[in-house]
Amino acid sequence: MREYLLVFLVAATVTYLLTVVAREIAIRTGAVAAVRDRDVHDEPIPYLGGLAMLGGLVAAYLVARELPFLSLSGPFVFRDAGIVLIAGALICAVGVLDDIFELDALTKLGGQVLAAGFLIAFGIQYVFFPLTNGEVFAMEASQAALLTGFVVVATVNAVNFVDGLDGLAAGVVGIGAIAFFVFCYQLTRLNDAPRATTAALLSVALAGVCVGFLVHNFHPARLFMGDSGSMLIGLVLSASAVTLTGQFSGTEIAQGGAGSQASLVPTLLPVLLPVSILVVPLLDLVMAVVRRTRAGRSPFAPDKQHLHHRLLEIGHSQRRAVLIMWLWAGLIAFATVCASLYTGVWVWLSVGLLAAVTVVLTFVLPVLHKPKVLEALDEPSPETL
């Protein structure tokens, strides 16, 4: 655990420091977010935060290779992690071009498919799914490749779609990465398996990157991650979940806490986890596609009707809207992880209590406590008195 903590700190520190460099590069190359009707910021903000995030991931990877415990792990741990980072660099490069030149949607989708194809070509894909009776369901190579590509591309776009408020995407993915690291680490501990796994290494590094970037990105943001960052962290999160199926036996994944047999949900966790962690942005993605296609527009045509925009409409401030969506992301991610590892009434009572608190904060808080800006707008002006 201490070496994982060091990897987290390295990723956070390097990302924090490189963010200043990325901001300068963005300003010099003209990669700056102009103020548009659908945006909530009121002044131009530089892009290219993904460059700092990629640097943080690479630094964490290089340090992990030199640590006494992690460096002695199985041969596939760093091999698979390196492939994920190369695919991440590829999709980050596509994002950089988009941040500078504003690529069209189909070109970006092609870059996402290319990065997902690179993962699949080098063996980063779903291998099998454990069943509750101890058996495993092995997929054909073509089926596994299609499912892997779909999950990776969907996760990348979900993170990209949710990146609409300062600190929102980095916080949601960071929370998801922490939850996934807890699952991976506890899974190895409960089954007395080697603690070093690709999934744990990538998720803890990703969590550190998000934390380091949030220092510069939380409202008011000094730098945006841009597509270079949102697509990068979406790919790393989904790919880390994919690697889990190739490094654990079916019995280990299906085994819960205290030796209890897991339910069908946790046995499918390598597929369900990116979905559960990103259920809020994925829901936003689906709603956006349906909304835009019904209006006769492209599914990729931007608008101002995302979930975070709706939170602003019901009375939340920018910071509070972000914190609310963090709460929802954390509730779903950690509820999935706890339900996967443990059984008992206390799990569902805890989840129910947290869900109730989150619902109250989402819908009741804006009624009881409006942001000062909204309160000022509600007050009658002297001319109307």
Side-chain angles (χ1 to χ4, degrees):
M1 176 61 80
R2 287 178 295 181
E3 292 193 3
Y4 280 127
L5 179 60
L6 179 59
V7 170
F8 173 88
L9 293 175
V10 168
T13 303
V14 172
T15 303
Y16 171 79
L17 296 175
L18 289 181
T19 300
V20 180
V21 179
R23 188 177 189 277
E24 185 65 24
I25 295 175
I27 293 174
R28 294 192 177 190
T29 57
V32 178
V35 180
R36 301 166 297 186
D37 291 339
R38 70 177 188 270
D39 294 327
V40 295
H41 62 278
D42 53 7
E43 63 180 23
I45 305 293
Y47 280 134
L48 298 186
L51 292 177
M53 295 175 136
L54 180 62
L57 288 171
V58 172
Y61 174 81
L62 294 176
V63 169
R65 291 184 65 94
E66 303 301 323
L67 296 178
F69 170 70
L70 290 176
S71 62
L72 298 177
S73 59
F76 293 105
V77 172
F78 286 101
R79 182 257 183 194
D80 289 355
I83 291 171
V84 173
L85 290 183
I86 295 174
L90 175 62
I91 204 169
C92 182
V94 174
V96 168
L97 293 176
D98 180 65
D99 291 339
I100 298 175
F101 302 109
E102 295 188 8
L103 304 177
D104 61 89
L106 288 180
T107 302
K108 286 196 295 184
L109 180 61
Q112 296 166 8
V113 172
L114 181 62
F118 181 85
L119 292 174
I120 296 167
F122 284 89
I124 307 298
Q125 65 179 43
Y126 293 110
V127 179
F128 54 76
F129 296 105
L131 304 177
T132 55
N133 59 5
E135 299 178 353
V136 296
F137 171 72
M139 302 185 68
E140 294 182 0
S142 58
Q143 295 174 336
L146 286 174
L147 180 60
T148 302
F150 174 77
V151 170
V152 171
V153 173
T155 306
V156 166
N157 282 284
V159 176
N160 193 19
F161 270 55
V162 82
D163 186 24
L165 293 178
D166 296 351
L168 181 55
V172 168
V173 174
I175 290 169
I178 292 172
F180 189 40
F181 170 75
V182 171
F183 172 77
C184 296
Y185 190 84
Q186 284 295 95
L187 191 65
T188 57
R189 190 183 66 83
L190 293 171
N191 291 278
D192 196 24
R195 304 293 192 269
T197 61
T198 303
L201 174 62
L202 289 175
S203 56
V204 76
L206 180 59
V209 162
C210 291
V211 170
F213 183 72
L214 272 173
V215 179
H216 297 275
N217 188 236
F218 197 64
H219 185 72
R222 295 188 293 274
L223 182 74
F224 288 161
M225 67 172 66
D227 281 8
S228 61
S230 61
M231 295 197 298
L232 169 65
I233 61 179
L235 181 138
V236 173
L237 179 62
S238 56
S240 63
V242 171
T243 63
L244 191 66
T245 61
Q247 296 181 9
F248 280 94
S249 69
T251 304
E252 288 172 340
I253 295 180
Q255 196 75 13
S260 62
Q261 197 71 11
S263 65
L264 184 61
V265 173
T267 60
L268 295 178
L269 200 67
V271 175
L272 296 179
L273 194 67
V275 178
S276 64
I277 286 174
L278 295 173
V279 67
V280 174
L282 282 172
L283 176 63
D284 195 17
L285 170 63
V286 173
M287 291 174 60
V289 171
V290 172
R291 181 175 65 245
R292 293 166 184 174
T293 52
R294 287 183 62 182
R297 297 186 293 133
S298 167
F300 300 99
D303 59 27
K304 201 172 183 179
Q305 299 182 48
H306 291 287
L307 292 178
H308 50 271
H309 292 126
R310 297 176 186 268
L311 287 174
L312 296 175
E313 289 175 0
I314 66 175
H316 288 290
S317 64
Q318 270 205 57
R319 287 191 176 189
R320 207 161 66 193
V322 169
L323 293 175
I324 291 295
M325 294 194 72
W326 286 5
L327 279 175
W328 281 105
L331 169 66
I332 297 169
F334 283 99
T336 303
V337 169
C338 289
S340 302
L341 294 175
Y342 304 101
T343 58
V345 179
W346 67 271
V347 174
W348 301 110
L349 288 177
S350 301
V351 171
L353 178 61
L354 291 176
V357 171
T358 304
V359 169
V360 169
L361 291 176
T362 302
F363 299 104
V364 178
L365 186 59
V367 177
L368 299 178
H369 187 269
K370 292 184 179 181
K372 293 181 179 180
V373 175
L374 292 178
E375 290 176 351
L377 292 175
D378 290 340
E379 294 178 357
S381 61
E383 291 81 1
T384 61
L385 295 178

